[in-house]
């Protein structure tokens, strides 16, 4: 079975042989082991067949031994295509240049749209994105990812609560949700305020309602703190209790830390390598030298190429190799205790309300077991302990 791919790559030619007894010419070709196929007789003195271009160069001596005339009717395969392309080099070069320009222009930023923002916020947002490089004539693959742009813009634009970012072809679209203050205070239904946790009252400020506790009182969960009924007996009025009451609450936390710890840090040295990727195959085009780092951490970023509104299978990939260094650190017992206390405090703060305040800390138990320092810590925390309890009128 012939390998059509190989024949097409090497090139082949359609040969027409004319003369008396053209079979003798075929026999000579077979004796010389020339590659011929698809032999077809056309009349008494004509035979047509195909042969490799390389073998076609070897038939001149055979013609002298036979009284036949050979005509090359048609050339096919890669060499023939390249020959035709070379004859039309100007047209091919122009077409390639046109496609290259279109691909380059399709992968640049041409427009930045902002929706849902007031003029002041839109001006601020456009300044922020321009500083990030998101402006016309900028290549898209040189910009951060859409997720990173959204995160950075939301943090930097003070007048926006949320900014959505979407890339649509050569346009970056920003959808803004602005901060809006309520026009009037929220209307609150009649209610009492009760304790949501067991605590000791630290300070109390009542705006509406009648206080039922005072500083240093101990309360259980569900105890009445501020009543929504005000006035004297027989002349009472029901209101929505409003107060700021902070209580002292107790937390216990455990923490452990090994005396010996392995740390890995980045040294600051890095090596970049750039690829053109297609069908999960990476073809490097810049940064061919391999890194010489003993320990390395790899980061990868990939950008897509576009042709008008279509996404091409061709992608730009940048791989960043950062050198890392590992070292062991041995704590003294005192250092391990301080590090464990710091970690326990950070963990506790992550669980507390935003306005909570730690006012006391005491180590209840410490031990050194199996190369680890273990602590039990008691914390005193001030936080809002109020919870609303609706007043159902008519009961």
């Amino acid at each position: 079975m012939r390998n059509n791919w190989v024949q097409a790559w090497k090139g082949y030619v359609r040969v027409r042989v004319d003369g008396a007894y053209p079979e003798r010419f075929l026999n000579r070709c077979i004796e010389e082991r020339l590659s011929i196929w698809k032999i077809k007789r056309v009349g008494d003195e004509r035979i047509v067949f195909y042969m490799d271009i390389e073998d076609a160069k070897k038939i001149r001596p055979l013609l002298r031994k036979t009284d036949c005339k050979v005509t090359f009717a048609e050339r096919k395969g890669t060499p023939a295509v390249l020959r035709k392309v070379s004859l039309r080099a100007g047209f091919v070069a122009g077409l390639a240049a046109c496609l290259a320009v279109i691909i380059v222009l399709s992968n640049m930023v041409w427009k930045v749209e902002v929706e849902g923002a007031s003029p002041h916020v839109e001006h601020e947002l456009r300044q922020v994105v321009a500083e990030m490089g998101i402006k016309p004539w900028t290549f898209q693959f040189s910009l951060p990812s859409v997720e990173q742009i959204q995160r950075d813009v939301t943090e930097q634009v003070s007048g926006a609560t949320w900014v959505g970012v979407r890339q649509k072809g050569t346009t970056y679209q920003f959808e803004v949700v602005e901060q809006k203050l309520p026009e009037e205070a929220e209307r609150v239904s009649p209610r009492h305020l009760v304790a949501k946790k067991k605590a000791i009252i630290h300070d109390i400020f009542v705006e509406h309602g009648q206080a039922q506790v005072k500083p240093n009182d101990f309360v259980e969960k569900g105890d009445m703190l501020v009543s929504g009924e005000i006035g004297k007996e027989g002349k009472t009025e029901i209101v929505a209790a409003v107060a700021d009451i902070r209580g002292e609450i107790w937390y216990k936390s455990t923490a452990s830390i090994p005396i010996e710890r392995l740390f890995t840090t980045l040294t600051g040295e890095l090596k970049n390598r750039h690829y053109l990727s297609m069908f999960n195959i990476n073809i490097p085009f810049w940064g061919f030298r391999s890194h010489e780092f003993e320990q390395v951490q790899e980061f990868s970023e990939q950008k897509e190429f576009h042709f008008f509104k279509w996404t091409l299978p061709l992608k730009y990939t940048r791989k960043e190799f950062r050198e890392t260094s590992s070292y062991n650190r041995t704590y003294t017992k005192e250092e391990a205790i301080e590090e464990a206390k710091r970690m326990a405090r950070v963990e506790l703060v992550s669980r507390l309300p935003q306005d909570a305040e730690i006012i006391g800390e005491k180590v209840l138990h410490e031990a050194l077991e199996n190369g680890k320092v273990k602590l039990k810590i008691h914390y005193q925390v001030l936080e809002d302990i109020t919870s609303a309890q609706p007043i159902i009128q008519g009961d």
Side-chain angles (χ1 to χ4, degrees):
M1 182 179 291
R2 304 196 56 82
N3 193 327
N4 294 331
W5 286 101
V6 174
Q7 299 301 330
W9 174 255
K10 293 171 62 177
Y12 57 96
V13 63
R14 184 170 180 265
V15 182
R16 187 173 67 240
V17 181
D18 295 297
Y21 306 108
E23 295 85 357
R24 291 183 297 174
F25 177 78
L26 291 180
N27 293 333
R28 295 285 185 182
C29 291
I30 295 172
E31 290 174 359
E32 296 294 329
R33 298 184 179 278
L34 302 185
S35 176
I36 60 176
W37 66 93
K38 287 189 178 180
I39 303 170
K40 182 178 180 181
R41 174 179 286 279
V42 182
D44 295 335
E45 298 185 351
R46 175 174 292 180
I47 292 178
V48 177
F49 59 87
Y50 290 89
M51 70 185 312
D52 291 337
I53 288 181
E54 291 295 327
D55 289 344
K57 301 175 182 178
K58 303 176 184 178
I59 65 174
R60 184 180 296 273
L62 304 181
L63 292 174
R64 298 192 186 102
K65 300 178 181 180
T66 60
D67 296 329
C68 294
K69 179 183 178 181
V70 172
T71 304
F72 298 111
E74 184 180 7
R75 295 174 181 265
K76 292 187 177 182
T78 303
V81 173
L82 294 178
R83 185 171 180 271
K84 291 180 181 179
V85 169
S86 65
L87 296 176
R88 298 171 176 81
F91 173 77
V92 174
L95 179 61
C98 180
L99 291 176
V101 170
I102 292 175
I103 291 175
V104 169
L105 296 181
S106 299
N107 289 277
M108 298 179 72
V109 178
W110 286 101
K111 191 175 182 182
V112 177
E113 297 180 349
V114 180
E115 300 179 358
S118 62
H120 171 73
V121 174
E122 180 176 349
H123 176 71
E124 182 182 2
L125 186 146
R126 288 186 179 274
Q127 285 185 325
V128 170
V129 300
E131 292 175 359
M132 298 175 64
I134 307 173
K135 52 188 176 182
W137 297 95
T138 302
F139 284 105
Q140 296 177 9
F141 55 79
S142 67
L143 300 176
S145 64
V146 172
E147 294 76 13
Q148 184 177 345
I149 293 173
Q150 179 171 334
R151 182 173 59 253
D152 293 345
V153 170
T154 303
E155 292 177 354
Q156 296 181 40
V157 178
S158 58
T161 302
W162 176 82
V163 179
V165 183
R166 181 174 58 180
Q167 180 185 353
K168 189 175 181 181
T170 59
T171 301
Y172 275 80
Q173 299 176 334
F174 294 84
E175 184 179 354
V176 181
V177 176
E178 294 190 19
Q179 297 178 354
K180 293 184 179 180
L181 299 176
E183 298 181 357
E184 58 180 18
E186 181 183 359
R187 302 179 68 89
V188 182
S189 302
R191 66 181 184 181
H192 302 302
L193 295 180
V194 298
K196 62 181 178 182
K197 293 181 179 180
K198 180 170 62 175
I200 293 178
I201 303 299
H202 187 271
D203 53 63
I204 178 171
F205 174 76
V206 178
E207 185 176 348
H208 295 292
Q210 186 172 346
Q212 303 296 307
V213 294
K214 58 185 182 297
N216 299 321
D217 284 353
F218 175 80
V219 295
E220 294 278 359
K221 181 178 179 180
D223 287 352
M224 179 82 69
L225 301 178
V226 179
S227 174
E229 295 183 7
I230 60 175
K232 296 181 180 180
E233 186 176 353
K235 295 183 180 179
T236 60
E237 180 182 352
I238 298 177
V239 298
V242 178
D244 182 13
I245 303 175
R246 296 206 303 168
E248 181 180 322
I249 303 174
W250 311 277
Y251 292 91
K252 287 184 180 180
S253 180
T254 59
S256 66
I257 184 172
I259 295 295
E260 293 186 0
R261 298 185 68 185
L262 178 65
F263 289 88
T264 300
T265 61
L266 298 175
T267 65
E269 297 293 329
L270 60 89
K271 178 74 175 179
N272 287 324
R273 191 172 297 169
H274 305 269
Y275 302 86
L276 289 178
S277 304
M278 181 178 290
F279 306 116
N280 295 324
I281 300 176
N282 292 330
I283 304 173
F285 69 90
W286 193 258
F288 299 100
R289 293 180 58 186
S290 60
H291 62 81
E292 298 178 353
F293 306 142
E294 293 183 3
Q295 300 180 45
V296 67
Q297 188 171 0
E298 180 179 331
F299 301 89
S300 181
E301 182 182 12
Q302 195 170 71
K303 299 286 186 179
E304 295 178 335
F305 284 93
H306 299 274
F307 185 78
F308 293 110
K309 64 179 181 179
W310 297 284
T311 300
L312 300 178
L314 185 66
K315 298 179 181 179
Y316 161 73
T317 303
R318 180 174 67 88
K319 290 188 178 182
E320 189 175 86
F321 302 90
R322 290 182 173 268
E323 184 183 27
T324 61
S325 176
S326 300
Y327 64 94
N328 284 310
R329 177 176 178 180
T330 302
Y331 292 100
T332 64
K333 183 178 179 180
E334 291 73 19
E335 290 175 338
I337 291 174
E338 290 302 318
E339 180 66 13
K341 289 167 64 175
R342 186 191 67 81
M343 293 173 57
R345 191 181 185 94
V346 170
E347 193 276 333
L348 175 64
V349 170
S350 67
R351 295 188 287 114
L352 293 176
Q354 188 173 0
D355 59 349
E357 177 186 358
I358 299 175
I359 61 173
E361 175 184 313
K362 183 179 180 181
V363 177
L364 300 178
H365 176 73
E366 64 180 56
L368 179 59
E369 299 177 0
N370 300 323
K372 293 184 178 181
V373 171
K374 298 182 178 181
L375 302 181
K376 290 185 179 180
I377 307 174
H378 177 272
Y379 293 97
Q380 296 168 267
V381 180
L382 291 182
E383 63 179 86
D384 181 19
I385 61 169
T386 60
S387 177
Q389 183 183 77
I391 300 176
I392 301 176
Q393 302 185 43
D395 289 351

